[in-house]
Amino acid sequence: MQKKTPSASTLEEPQFMKTAGLRVRYRVRGDGPALLMINGIGLPLEFWRPLEARLGRFRTITVDPPGSGHSSVPRGRFGVREHAGVIDDLLEHLGIDSAGVLGLAFGGMVAQELARRSPGRVERLALASTNCGLGGMHSPPRALTAVFNPVSFYSPAYFRKVAPLIYGEGIVDDPALLDEHLEIRRDCRPSLRGHVVQLRAAFEWTSRPWLRHLPMPVLVIAGSDDRLVPTVNGRIIAKAVPHGRLEIIDGGSHLCVLQETARAAQLIGDFLDED
């Protein structure tokens, strides 16, 4: 791994590091306690902007997981364990011994794996709209196929068609958010190969056998109207870990933490601030 801690003057802009033969893009913003944020399949770090703004008292670290945004695409299989290894290397690169960690969807899987791999790195673990992989309740096949079709990153018309499955039916009342996310998708499209690598990683992984061994406090956030990851998955995780609790955002979609940012920021901020 390339070891070079960026200077404080460069931290606001995205940076790159090299690890595991990959070039990985990340960004660090603000001061205060460290909060690492790991996004879902195909989603670049720019998607965190509205939630980051409400968590300004933290030093946020966001990243394009391998295969997303402007990070390199792994060659061959690159599972959730390997993704967690990249995140572990990123924290080492930044000289951060431990941090609060927030994972959304696929990023929640990576966050769980990071907590298993390096429990000392993860002070507190927040998981949003995610599951435990094999052993959880799978997404409805029709919704899964529609949403994770890589065409959604290349065709605005197709994306608008499947948007209610991701954001809920209420997205029609928030065209500004949809337009913003369309712009991010257009500027940071994943490659088809990168998309497939992440999907394959998600479908081959499970945390169910070892969740009970995670020692840190765990907050699980789920949207009551998540059409991709049924709410029962949040209940499974929160019940399995020794120090877990579940918070359900009423009416929340799969991306509830990116839509209901005020509510999500309060839940996450209060959780990270707990003694």
Side-chain angles (χ1 to χ4, degrees), residues 113 135 250-251 253:
E113 187 65 41
D250 189 38
S253 68

Side-chain angles (χ1 to χ4, degrees), residues 129 131 136-149 158 162 164-166 199 203 224-233 254:
S129 304
N131 60 37
M137 179 174 286
H138 291 296
S139 308
R142 185 175 180 181
L144 191 68
T145 301
V147 170
F148 292 117
N149 187 331
Y158 181 83
V162 301
L165 294 173
I166 310 172
L199 282 171
F203 281 107
S224 65
D225 293 340
D226 189 337
R227 297 173 66 179
L228 288 179
V229 179
T231 307
V232 66
N233 288 286
H254 183 61

